[in-house]
Every structure is written in C-alpha cells, then in structure tokens.
Amino acid sequence: MNTVPDLIIFNGTIHTLDPRDSIATAMAVSEGKIVALGDDALELRGEETEMIDLGGAAIMPGLMDVHNYHMLAGQMDLFELNVAPTLTLDEFLKP
C-alpha cells in the first residue's frame, strides 16, 4: 500500500466491529477512509501525517441517526404563520 495517511490515531483501544479482529491499537485514515489498522497503520506515517495519541482511551464507530420527519420539519414553513400574537394589523401587513 503506497497511501500516506492524513491521520493516524494510536495508543488506544479501537473497536472495529469486525468479528475476526474486533480490537486494534492504531488506525490510519486517508481522505476520510480507514486505510489500515494496527501496526500496519503506524508504518504508513508520512511527514505531513497528523498523529493523535489516544493515551489509552477507546474509540468506536459512531451510531448515527440522520432521518428527519420532513412533514413535521417543514410544516410551519409551508402551512403556518409564525407571528407574534401581539402584532397590530399594520405591523402584520408591513413588508
């Protein structure tokens, strides 16, 4: 592998969720993608590689929930007027 990673995270417990090799101590990342785990990651270090020492801490894949209730999220913008009830008619009609 000839990829010089942008980032290497090391000296920690990295949970990979891979049933064959579930824990690594280092991880190399290039352009947002994991390119190596374990000792292989450390061997890829280049002059410009950012190094993050976990100091024994653990990291694991994020659990992301990116769904949105579009009808509820846009309902006010599409179907409701969002104005203060204290406005006068002139204030309400003002551009």
Side-chain angles (χ1 to χ4, degrees):
M1 176 182 298
N2 294 333
T3 302
V4 176
D6 306 313
L7 170 68
I8 295 177
I9 301 170
F10 67 100
N11 189 26
T13 301
I14 300 168
H15 297 274
T16 67
L17 301 183
D18 180 346
R20 294 167 293 167
D21 196 12
S22 63
I23 302 291
T25 57
M27 174 174 67
V29 179
S30 182
E31 297 181 4
K33 295 184 180 183
I34 298 170
V35 294
L37 291 168
D39 292 338
D40 291 342
L42 293 171
E43 294 172 8
L44 297 175
R45 181 181 185 176
E47 290 182 24
E48 301 295 319
T49 303
E50 178 183 359
M51 302 293 288
I52 296 179
D53 185 343
L54 291 175
I59 62 173
M60 63 184 298
L63 304 174
M64 309 303 259
D65 181 5
V66 296
H67 78 279
N68 189 354
Y69 295 97
H70 296 286
M71 182 60 187
L72 295 177
Q75 183 174 351
M76 181 175 277
D77 290 336
L78 293 173
F79 305 114
E80 299 176 12
L81 292 173
N82 186 17
V83 295
T86 57
L87 287 179
T88 66
L89 179 59
D90 289 335
E91 291 171 325
F92 178 77
L93 295 174
K94 187 177 186 180

